[in-house]
Amino acid sequence: AYNCHSYAWHNSKGDPDPASGDIPQIGGVPIPKWDNNPADDIKQQNAIQLGNDENNMPGDKLIFYTDANGNGKYDDGEFISHSAVVKTVDQEGYTTTVIGKMGKGEISTKHPDAPGYYRTAYNPETKKEEIQSRAYFRVSKPIEE
């Protein structure tokens, strides 16, 4: 009972500290491995958004989001429809495959620009199907004490 965000950001273990109200329930029972809010993961894991000129590396996180203000980067509060993990990159540092869950479906490996792969998503906030942009993040390793 986990989704793409818990797969990408929590190794399928679910969000250990979800934002209030972000755990859906079935028959009043919470689904603890579900993660509706990767925005909190970006903050909690000290993820750094990569610039357009920075090379990707295996293990980087990819989000598909609605660029509400059109500035070409993810800003806190913008709707995130999908998360995946970079699997392979080419010699120039461009992502060639990502691995993730397709909604409630199986784990899959795709090119991040594959036809039909999260080009659009239904945004429950606007109640519209919207074009999705991509942003890459690198999770910095925690400082050991």
Side-chain angles (χ1 to χ4, degrees):
Y2 58 88
N3 62 356
C4 63
H5 307 308
S6 64
Y7 178 84
W9 292 94
H10 302 287
N11 298 321
S12 299
K13 295 177 184 172
D15 189 343
D17 186 23
S20 178
D22 277 340
I23 300 178
Q25 298 183 4
I26 295 180
V29 178
I31 307 171
K33 292 187 177 184
W34 195 274
D35 183 354
N36 270 352
N37 189 7
D40 67 338
D41 303 324
I42 292 168
K43 293 174 191 171
Q44 291 170 357
Q45 297 184 31
N46 295 321
I48 299 166
Q49 188 168 180
L50 301 176
N52 293 337
D53 58 344
E54 293 183 75
N55 293 346
N56 298 131
M57 295 176 14
D60 286 346
K61 312 294 186 198
L62 165 64
I63 63 167
F64 289 78
Y65 71 100
T66 300
D67 189 6
N69 62 11
N71 69 353
K73 67 175 192 154
Y74 170 75
D75 296 297
D76 191 31
E78 290 179 318
F79 172 69
I80 300 172
S81 62
H82 183 62
S83 295
V85 179
V86 173
K87 184 175 180 180
T88 59
V89 298
D90 64 17
Q91 291 178 339
E92 295 176 355
Y94 294 105
T95 297
T96 53
T97 57
V98 294
I99 187 166
K101 283 189 58 72
M102 296 289 289
K104 298 178 187 177
E106 296 298 316
I107 295 169
S108 64
T109 301
K110 301 268 187 196
H111 188 285
D113 201 25
Y117 188 66
Y118 289 93
R119 289 189 187 274
T120 64
Y122 177 78
N123 183 338
E125 296 164 8
T126 63
K127 298 181 176 30
K128 294 179 182 176
E129 191 78 13
E130 297 177 340
I131 295 173
Q132 299 296 283
S133 298
R134 293 193 307 256
Y136 291 87
F137 290 84
R138 186 161 298 144
V139 175
S140 59
K141 293 185 180 183
I143 299 171
E144 294 183 24
E145 297 180 15

